[in-house]
Amino acid sequence: MRKWLIAFIVSLALAFGLLASFNIVVDPFGVFGDRVLKWHSYNMVNNPRVAKIGYLEQHHDEYNAYIIGGSKSSSISPERLNAYYGEGASFYSMLMYGGDFHDYEKTLYYLIDEYAPKHIVLHMSLQEISHFNEKPTDFKQSLHAKVSGESKAKFYWDYLKLNPSYGYAKLEGYAKRLADDFAYSQFVPETGVYNKVRRDAEPVDNLEAFMSANREAFKPFGRLEAVAMEQNVKALQKMKQYAESRGTTFLLITGATYEQELLSYNMDDLKTYWGMIADVTDFWDFSGYTPVSGDPRYYYDTMHYRNTLGEMMLGYIFKDPDVYVPAGFGHYTTKENVKEHADAVFTPPANAGGEAVSIPILVYHHIDDDPFEPNSLITPPAKFRSDMEELKAAGYNAVHLGELIDYVDGKGELPDNPVAITFDDGYYSNYEYAYPVLKELGLKATISMIGWSVGREEHRIPGKNFYPHFTWDEAKEMADSGVIEIQNHSFDMHETAGGEAGKRDGVLQMDGESNGEYSRVFIGDASKMQRMIEDRVGSEVDVYTYPFGYYTHLSEQILKDMGYRMTLTTHSGISQVVKGDPDSLFELKRINGSPEVPSDVLIGKLAVQ
């Protein structure tokens, strides 16, 4: 019996030794330094709270500043902070899943006590209002004992006897990484942020296409109650005092929020919360209802904003001229201005769920019988007349684009079967052929002009094919008649690069051109043309028609900031404009009045399905 008992104990010891050795070697949470596999990104995916402490034990001398926050804080770039702070700043992100102020406070104390950093940037979102010191449910949520202050002996003992399934999962992931080096590598260990290379590469410019691919990511989050305000504010006060008393600078940033997330909160609670925070510290606020909160292209999902917004936030804070920041996004909040500011950003906008109207928009370019060569953008005069007669016979009522804007603004109604007729570029043939036909049939249209070519009969490049363009006097004549509305098609951005370096495709940003530099060029060109139209024609300019239909999410934002109310693309189809929803006037689709399509077939395309 005694021998059996000894054998049993020895077997248990051996079994535990094997388990402990396995957990030390594979080290799925990086607790023991991950000296063999050295796959720190995997460990951080498992639990960044624990794995980053283990990583810093080996690499802390590479950093002297830290970002503390939840998962949203990943969009605050350590590299950009290094550049903005200067003087040898080297930031590391301590982002953690579902972080709260209890975790932030403990982490700050540990970092300052262990590493005496120069700077601390604390990032908070709104969701921390609903929890403080939540008890972890498993190993993927717990703090490191060095941070929490709990028993280190128990902590390491727990990881020595960790269920081997965690280690097996890491080994399986290691094998999968041989086929896909992104597998289980959602963290960048060297900076502590999420690896968003793939997410940031997805196309976001076309809103309809983006939402079609990502609709599931933007579902409502559910109600979050304000149960932790006082605890959070007390923790914030202690963190600020602790940092500054030890010579560490302290900066608080509140992250951007998507409007779907904002539905989770009581706005009066948030207003109170903001006042309490401002009593503790001034802070840089980007949350609430802002010019970017309603556009899902700025977000990865309901709860997380994109790196592009993080770039804009830091650009605003540090006044970076190379970063374009949307007008009205960002606010330096103090106890003196917090009430007015909180009232503004935590008051929901008027409901945009008004009546929607489907609006087919026809687009034409040159009207000519004798083109240089067959072209789908050149319509013979007889075909154009036929189109317009067929349109009128089908019961359509032509409206100016300005009438669509008035409808959305609640300033007027639209007729039955509305249709918009548009012309791009400003060809003389619009004045010579189209204008008389429209006037005769009681129709109206919008012409978007290119600035540099107004009144020219030859291209500025000798020998290049060119169709004459109408003059400013002719533009004014048409506008004064009430038949034609004149809008903006750029002053000099209607060119293609053709693969040539240093040239621009329409209004698109060039390679290597910063957002700030691009915005200045784009704004300068659009403003120049707008002023010319307003001065020489007397028209109000609030519609921008993209050359070649090329546009980006950034160009859309810039035009909104400039006060433009509508943009036209070359995407084919019928759009809807919604009363009370100004965003419904952007990226409108059009239907090309192709010369090869019979008039009855073309008009049939306008029918709302």
Side-chain angles (χ1 to χ4, degrees):
M1 182 68 178
R2 186 166 175 271
K3 290 182 179 180
W4 181 89
L5 182 59
I6 292 172
F8 177 71
I9 294 172
V10 169
S11 297
L12 282 180
L14 287 173
F16 178 76
L18 288 173
L19 176 62
S21 297
F22 176 77
N23 283 328
I24 290 172
V25 171
V26 180
D27 201 5
F29 291 88
V31 170
F32 305 105
D34 199 8
R35 308 284 179 176
V36 178
L37 296 182
K38 298 181 179 179
W39 195 7
H40 299 290
S41 58
Y42 182 94
N43 308 334
M44 292 179 189
V45 171
N46 256 353
N47 183 347
R49 289 173 171 85
V50 167
K52 289 182 178 181
I53 299 303
Y55 181 81
L56 287 176
E57 287 176 349
Q58 300 176 49
H59 298 277
H60 63 86
D61 56 345
E62 299 170 21
Y63 310 101
N64 59 18
Y66 295 92
I67 307 161
I68 301 174
S71 55
K72 287 185 181 182
S73 65
S74 177
S75 291
I76 300 298
S77 165
E79 293 93 343
R80 285 188 171 273
L81 284 175
N82 294 342
Y84 290 140
Y85 272 83
E87 298 180 349
S90 182
F91 272 86
Y92 190 79
S93 177
M94 298 298 293
L95 82 89
M96 57 194 78
Y97 306 143
D100 64 24
F101 270 84
H102 169 267
D103 296 347
Y104 302 160
E105 183 182 355
K106 293 287 187 178
T107 300
L108 179 139
Y109 294 159
Y110 174 78
L111 293 173
I112 291 179
D113 290 346
E114 289 293 316
Y115 305 130
K118 292 181 178 179
H119 312 290
I120 292 287
V121 171
L122 177 66
H123 177 286
M124 63 165 280
S125 58
L126 300 182
Q127 67 187 47
E128 291 102 331
I129 199 174
S130 67
H131 55 98
F132 184 89
N133 195 17
E134 285 193 323
K135 298 302 180 185
T137 58
D138 58 25
F139 285 97
K140 296 193 174 187
Q141 295 180 325
S142 60
L143 287 169
H144 199 291
K146 291 184 176 180
V147 174
S148 67
E150 296 170 348
S151 168
K152 295 185 181 66
K154 181 181 182 304
F155 175 81
Y156 287 109
W157 173 256
D158 287 342
Y159 281 92
L160 283 173
K161 61 184 181 68
L162 187 69
N163 188 317
S165 63
Y166 288 109
Y168 294 147
K170 183 174 181 179
L171 293 176
E172 288 177 358
Y174 200 82
K176 290 178 181 178
R177 192 175 67 157
L178 298 177
D180 179 5
D181 59 8
F182 193 80
Y184 304 98
S185 295
Q186 294 95 322
F187 272 90
V188 180
E190 294 77 13
T191 57
V193 301
Y194 287 133
N195 184 349
K196 299 178 185 174
V197 171
R198 290 187 179 177
R199 293 300 305 275
D200 287 338
E202 65 182 339
V204 301
D205 293 326
N206 186 317
L207 177 58
E208 184 178 45
F210 175 76
M211 285 306 293
S212 177
N214 293 279
R215 198 168 302 279
E216 287 298 309
F218 292 97
K219 287 187 173 182
F221 191 76
R223 193 71 176 175
L224 295 172
E225 300 297 339
V227 298
M229 285 194 294
E230 292 186 5
Q231 291 166 299
N232 291 349
V233 173
K234 287 179 181 177
L236 173 65
Q237 185 173 32
K238 287 190 286 185
M239 282 189 279
K240 178 180 170 64
Q241 291 174 346
Y242 198 84
E244 294 179 346
S245 68
R246 286 156 177 79
T248 300
T249 69
F250 183 85
L251 177 71
L252 175 63
I253 299 174
T254 56
T257 38
Y258 179 51
E259 62 179 16
Q260 191 71 266
E261 181 192 347
L262 288 164
L263 299 177
S264 298
Y265 308 101
N266 178 289
M267 294 294 107
D268 288 336
D269 287 339
L270 292 178
K271 293 173 185 178
T272 299
Y273 192 29
W274 251 228
M276 294 166 67
I277 291 170
D279 277 339
V280 172
T281 184
D282 298 344
F283 61 102
W284 298 92
D285 184 30
F286 301 90
S287 60
Y289 291 97
T290 70
V292 304
S293 61
D295 190 336
R297 292 172 294 184
Y298 283 116
Y299 302 85
Y300 297 110
D301 53 45
T302 300
M303 301 301 289
H304 299 91
Y305 62 88
R306 286 184 174 268
N307 283 351
T308 52
L309 271 191
E311 177 183 328
M312 291 175 178
M313 289 161 59
L314 293 182
Y316 178 85
I317 293 171
F318 293 96
K319 299 179 175 57
D320 187 344
D322 286 329
V323 176
Y324 183 78
V325 181
F329 179 58
H331 184 266
Y332 186 62
T333 306
T334 68
K335 64 175 65 177
E336 288 76 26
N337 63 33
V338 65
K339 185 180 186 308
E340 180 182 4
H341 171 66
D343 284 343
V345 296
F346 295 131
T347 298
N351 184 11
E355 183 182 357
V357 173
S358 295
I359 179 73
I361 304 175
L362 276 168
V363 56
Y364 294 91
H365 290 74
H366 185 39
I367 310 295
D368 198 348
D369 264 326
D370 186 26
F372 294 123
E373 57 187 21
N375 191 314
S376 64
L377 301 183
I378 300 175
T379 304
K383 171 62 165 56
F384 176 75
R385 173 178 281 277
S386 173
D387 289 353
M388 296 300 100
E389 290 175 344
E390 191 78 30
L391 186 74
K392 194 170 179 68
Y396 283 98
N397 294 292
V399 298
H400 281 150
L401 299 179
E403 293 177 74
L404 300 181
I405 296 173
D406 286 343
Y407 170 78
V408 168
D409 289 347
K411 297 178 180 178
E413 297 299 321
L414 294 173
D416 293 337
N417 300 321
V419 65
I421 305 165
T422 65
F423 297 82
D424 288 0
D425 302 341
Y427 295 108
Y428 178 71
S429 63
N430 299 168
Y431 174 78
E432 184 180 17
Y433 295 118
Y435 170 50
V437 170
L438 294 167
K439 187 160 50 172
E440 176 189 335
L441 296 177
L443 300 171
K444 40 182 144 172
T446 301
I447 300 177
S448 297
M449 301 172 61
I450 303 169
W452 75 266
S453 59
V454 176
R456 295 184 70 112
E457 297 188 1
E458 295 181 354
H459 201 282
R460 54 188 173 186
I461 300 175
K464 187 171 182 177
N465 288 348
F466 189 76
Y467 303 104
H469 287 56
F470 56 72
T471 65
W472 285 112
D473 287 342
E474 290 159 346
K476 181 169 176 54
E477 176 190 338
M478 291 189 286
D480 288 346
S481 73
V483 174
I484 299 296
E485 178 185 54
I486 301 295
Q487 295 291 351
N488 195 341
H489 200 34
S490 85
F491 178 79
D492 193 9
M493 284 193 160
H494 202 291
E495 299 288 349
T496 56
E500 186 176 341
K503 292 190 68 176
R504 192 183 304 279
D505 270 323
V507 305
L508 298 184
Q509 197 167 352
M510 294 189 296
D511 289 342
E513 187 176 33
S514 73
N515 288 353
E517 181 181 4
Y518 166 71
S519 67
R520 289 188 286 274
V521 173
F522 182 35
I523 291 170
D525 182 274
S527 297
K528 180 175 183 178
M529 187 57 183
Q530 178 176 337
R531 287 193 300 270
M532 294 177 76
I533 294 172
E534 291 173 346
D535 291 346
R536 303 186 188 196
V537 179
S539 300
E540 181 179 2
V541 179
D542 48 16
V543 178
Y544 193 91
T545 302
Y546 284 111
F548 312 110
Y550 301 161
Y551 70 97
T552 66
H553 186 204
L554 179 57
S555 68
E556 286 284 276
Q557 184 66 58
I558 291 171
L559 289 169
K560 289 179 181 179
D561 291 345
M562 292 179 67
Y564 277 81
R565 301 298 314 282
M566 178 186 293
T567 58
L568 302 181
T569 74
T570 56
H571 293 308
S572 182
I574 296 174
S575 299
Q576 284 193 331
V577 297
V578 181
K579 185 175 290 187
D581 182 7
D583 286 339
S584 69
L585 293 167
F586 285 79
E587 299 176 51
L588 295 185
K589 304 171 186 175
R590 296 188 288 174
I591 297 171
N592 186 30
S594 305
E596 66 274 13
V597 178
S599 295
D600 60 336
V601 175
L602 175 65
I603 302 309
K605 291 183 177 182
L606 307 185
V608 177
Q609 301 300 316

